[in-house]
Every structure is written in structure tokens, then in C-alpha cells.
């Protein structure tokens, strides 16, 4: 069941969304060669506490892993697609890319967003991967309109990504969001005839999150049971926004 939100609820989700945006903006400034992914975790933890919010990921039970997640961030470097675990041992190097994903809960409503940022100077090829993934998200957000269908979103991502020679991950998807971090519907980044294709309605809030591989789409989960990586070792990028469907069109809650 897809829960639709009232304007009052959307205002609450806006506050969570803007907090997540602010956290990611501040974290981007810490990303540089020599920083560790745990430096990001520590800073984010402080920002969430200072805002009087609750971290959405920390303590979240993930059935596929069979355990609770233990960090406020996912930090996924290079061929890591999502769910990379912040670590004092993971030092960022010039030329890397790091996906930073975080969520918060304020006043009972969740916000969730991710971005992938360069570490120092990166190659033109890697820059292009980031640009195309960001563009895929922007195109998908524009399809988040009442009257469209879910596959308009999925298809927009897939078409843009594949027309640039990249591939979209199949095993992980976007999601509805509200009083829970993960609500219906699941939002695949490709058109999957086996999954549902509901009509989109005003008041829905969708966390759209393209995960794009420079090479093949096959994924593998590491022995830590969290970190999802590309099987072929190619780089991967991930961007995510929460979008509310309003009578005025898409409203990106996780961006001012
Ligand atoms: N943004 C991701 C998601 O929406 C991150 C979840 S990490 C988890 O699913 F550990 F909290 F599950
Ligand atoms: Co999400």
C-alpha cells in the first residue's frame, strides 16, 4: 500500500530532507585525499545529534544481512555500489569516488539522500560516470508527477544510463518514504515487467536512487554481509533524492 502524505506531513518531511541535504553539503567539504570514511561518519554523527534528529540507518534491521546496521552513513568507494561501512582504515585517495548516503528522522518523518563525490582530481571517464548518474536522477525526478506511472521513473533512469554505455543495478531499488525509511512502492531503476507499475498520485513521496555501474550490472555482497560491489570491479555511482508529488509537480525535499 502506498501511503500518501498531507501538506502538513510534507512540511515535516521537508525539515528532514533539508537536514539530510545540509549534512551531505558539510560532508563534501571533508572529502579529500587522506581523509578516512570514518571521519565522515564521526562528523555526520555530530551533526545529527546537534540537530536533535535520529539517524535513520543506525540500528536499522536489514533482513538480507540478518543484522542491524551500525552506522549513520553508508560510504561506498569506487567499485562499492552501496552499503559501504565507514572505517578508520579506509583512507580516501586522489582519484577515488565516494558515495555518501544518509538518512534522518525528525518529528517522526524520514529523509534520505545520497551523493557521489570525487576525491581530489578524478579522470574524465569517472567524471562522466558521475555526471550521467546525476542526470539520470534529474530526469527521473521530472517524471515524479501525478498521472504518470512508476515505470516512467524507472525507464527514464534506464534509458539515460544505457544510452551512455553504462548499466543499472538490478538487485537494489529506490523506495517510498514517510513515517518509515522504506515504504511501498519499490522503485527499480529499470523497467521490470515482473514488478508493479502503479499510477503515481499527489501526496506520494519517493526516494529515487539510481545506482549505476561503469561496466556490467552484476553485483556481489562482501563477506561483511553489507558492502555491495560490482562483480567486474568497475566503478559505481549513486545519487538519491526524496521527491514529493504535488499539484505543482515534483518537489525535491532533500535540496533547497
Ligand atoms: N539509502 C539506503 C536505502 O534507502 C540506505 C539504507 S542503509 C540501511 O535503503 F542500513 F539502513 F539499510
Ligand atoms: Co534510500
Amino acid at each position: 500500500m502506498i501511503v500518501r502524505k498531507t501538506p502538513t506531513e510534507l512540511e515535516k518531511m521537508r525539515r528532514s530532507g533539508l537536514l539530510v541535504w545540509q549534512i551531505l553539503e558539510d560532508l563534501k567539504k571533508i572529502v579529500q585525499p587522506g581523509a578516512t570514511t570514518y571521519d565522515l561518519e564521526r562528523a555526520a554523527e555530530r551533526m545529527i545529534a546537534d540537530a536533535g534528529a535520529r539517524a535513520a540507518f543506525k540500528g536499522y534491521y536489514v533482513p538480507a544481512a540478518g543484522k542491524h546496521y551500525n552506522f549513520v552513513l553508508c560510504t561506498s568507494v569506487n567499485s562499492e555500489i552501496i552499503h559501504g561501512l565507514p572505517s578508520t582504515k579506509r583512507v580516501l585517495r586522489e582519484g577515488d569516488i565516494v558515495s555518501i548516503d544518509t538518512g534522518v528522522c525528525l518529528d517522526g518523518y524520514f529523509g534520505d539522500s545520497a551523493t557521489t563525490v570525487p576525491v581530489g582530481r578524478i579522470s574524465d571517464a569517472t567524471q562522466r560516470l558521475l555526471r550521467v548518474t546525476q542526470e539520470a536522477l534529474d530526469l527521473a525526478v521530472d517524471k515524479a508527477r501525478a498521472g504518470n506511472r512508476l515505470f516512467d521513473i524507472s525507464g527514464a533512469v534506464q534509458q539515460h544510463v544505457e544510452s551512455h554505455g553504462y548499466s543499472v543495478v538490478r538487485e537494489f531499488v529506490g523506495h517510498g518514504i514517510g513515517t518509515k525509511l522504506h515504504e511501498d512502492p519499490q522503485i527499480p531503476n529499470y523497467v521490470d515487467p515482473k514488478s508493479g507499475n502503479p499510477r503515481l498520485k499527489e501526496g506520494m513521496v519517493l526516494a529515487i536512487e539510481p545506482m549505476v555501474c561503469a561496466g556490467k550490472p552484476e553485483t556481489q555482497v562482501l563477506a561483511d554481509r553489507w558492502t555491495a560491489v560490482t562483480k567486474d570491479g568497475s566503478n559505481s555511482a549513486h545519487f538519491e533524492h526524496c521527491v514529493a508529488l504535488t499539484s505543482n509537480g515534483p518537489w525535491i525535499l532533500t535540496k533547497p
Side-chain angles (χ1 to χ4, degrees):
M1 184 203 36
I2 305 178
V3 182
R4 296 159 69 185
K5 282 79 184 177
T6 65
T8 310
E9 290 181 292
L10 291 185
E11 286 302 330
K12 293 187 182 189
M13 296 197 71
R14 175 63 163 167
R15 288 188 54 223
S16 311
L18 285 182
L19 174 58
V20 165
W21 173 81
Q22 186 65 61
I23 292 167
L24 292 179
E25 282 303 297
D26 290 353
L27 292 178
K28 283 180 197 173
K29 296 174 199 152
I30 302 175
V31 172
Q32 55 176 305
T36 73
T37 54
Y38 203 82
D39 293 335
L40 300 173
E41 170 74 13
R42 216 181 279 111
E45 219 167 10
R46 174 153 353 97
M47 289 184 255
I48 293 169
D50 287 350
R54 183 163 69 77
F57 299 175
K58 198 165 178 162
Y60 189 84
Y61 184 75
V62 177
K67 50 187 170 176
H68 296 83
Y69 194 68
N70 208 18
F71 303 94
V72 306
L73 298 181
C74 300
T75 51
S76 310
V77 181
N78 298 341
S79 64
E80 297 170 0
I81 304 162
I82 52 166
H83 300 168
L85 307 176
S87 163
T88 54
K89 296 194 190 78
R90 190 63 194 250
V91 181
L92 299 173
R93 306 280 182 209
E94 181 103 24
D96 286 348
I97 51 174
V98 57
S99 153
I100 312 172
D101 187 354
T102 195
V104 302
C105 184
L106 263 181
D107 202 9
Y109 288 84
F110 285 86
D112 181 11
S113 184
T115 186
T116 303
V117 293
V119 183
R121 277 182 61 86
I122 62 172
S123 71
D124 289 348
T126 307
Q127 204 132 35
R128 180 172 176 271
L129 174 68
L130 298 191
R131 177 175 60 78
V132 169
T133 308
Q134 173 75 71
E135 286 168 356
L137 175 57
D138 296 343
L139 290 165
V141 164
D142 191 60
K143 301 292 185 190
R145 296 173 185 276
N148 279 356
R149 284 188 182 274
L150 190 72
F151 284 178
D152 292 315
I153 291 174
S154 308
V157 173
Q158 183 173 23
Q159 200 281 329
H160 191 67
V161 167
E162 292 182 352
S163 73
H164 286 80
Y166 301 137
S167 60
V168 292
V169 166
R170 302 305 202 253
E171 290 86 356
F172 302 96
V173 297
H175 50 95
I177 182 168
T179 56
K180 291 187 290 179
L181 175 62
H182 294 140
E183 297 184 356
D184 287 342
Q186 293 199 1
I187 309 175
N189 292 300
Y190 64 104
V191 174
D192 177 4
K194 293 187 301 302
S195 83
N197 185 19
R199 195 175 288 284
L200 304 178
K201 295 183 178 158
E202 217 176 296
M204 290 180 178
V205 183
L206 306 176
I208 304 175
E209 46 182 322
M211 291 152 259
V212 173
C213 309
K216 296 205 169 72
E218 282 76 27
T219 68
Q220 190 177 335
V221 175
L222 298 185
D224 63 20
R225 284 192 276 157
W226 289 107
T227 315
V229 301
T230 59
K231 257 193 183 156
D232 65 6
S234 68
N235 273 348
S236 175
H238 175 214
F239 288 82
E240 175 178 24
H241 273 310
C242 293
V243 187
L245 278 71
T246 78
S247 56
N248 289 322
W251 180 21
I252 302 178
L253 299 175
T254 44
K255 187 169 123 180

